[in-house]
Amino acid sequence: HIPSAVDREKVISEMKRVTKKRGYIILTVPNRLNLALYYDHKKRMREQKTDFGYEYFYTPWELRRILVRNNLKIIRFISELWLVGGYKNYLFRIFNRALQYFGGRMGYLAQKR
């Protein structure tokens, strides 16, 4: 949870540097698309009533762009709402796939090339 965009990029670059070739990086972060969580945490940060101090919320595509910019191969996206992948009902699976981008925490499994 780093305030500076440049420093956030450096952290991911360093993660890549210390990962062995074809090794994996698993990165989960708070999701800005989950508006209830986002606004609740913003309010708590303003009021200085948090256990976590500063917290940066990413969008799924923002985090993906940073990983790709660092030449990491995206293997999988996941979020808290992606819980029912085993169901066979086609419409339910489509609805679930659309909602996955709104989980409170989300992240990627990426691989160093």
Side-chain angles (χ1 to χ4, degrees):
H1 302 295
I2 302 162
S4 161
V6 171
D7 289 341
R8 287 193 298 273
E9 185 98 23
K10 285 179 186 177
V11 167
I12 292 174
S13 178
E14 181 66 8
M15 291 169 75
K16 177 187 171 193
R17 186 188 71 77
V18 300
T19 301
K20 69 181 181 178
K21 189 171 184 177
R22 290 187 291 282
Y24 295 95
I25 294 172
I26 300 169
L27 186 62
T28 65
V29 296
N31 186 354
R32 189 178 302 154
L33 297 184
N34 187 303
L35 297 179
L37 184 67
Y38 177 71
Y39 287 117
D40 176 60
H41 285 218
K42 285 290 193 185
K43 179 179 181 261
R44 289 173 38 199
M45 280 189 285
R46 272 192 314 276
E47 295 170 352
Q48 297 180 345
K49 294 181 179 177
T50 67
D51 297 328
F52 47 80
Y54 179 80
E55 187 173 33
Y56 184 79
F57 281 70
Y58 290 84
T59 62
W61 46 87
E62 176 187 14
L63 184 56
R64 181 183 183 90
R65 271 195 309 269
I66 294 170
L67 294 169
V68 169
R69 223 178 5 248
N70 279 278
N71 198 31
L72 293 163
K73 178 182 175 188
I74 303 298
I75 305 296
R76 184 168 183 197
F77 172 82
I78 193 83
S79 85
E80 287 178 329
L81 289 176
W82 188 248
L83 302 173
V84 290
Y87 286 89
K88 296 187 190 284
N89 180 319
Y90 184 71
L91 290 175
F92 190 73
R93 286 174 54 201
I94 290 171
F95 183 67
N96 187 54
R97 191 173 212 63
L99 284 179
Q100 74 174 329
Y101 293 102
F102 297 94
R105 289 194 67 80
M106 58 88 187
Y108 287 93
L109 168 63
Q111 186 176 36
K112 183 175 177 179
R113 298 174 196 256

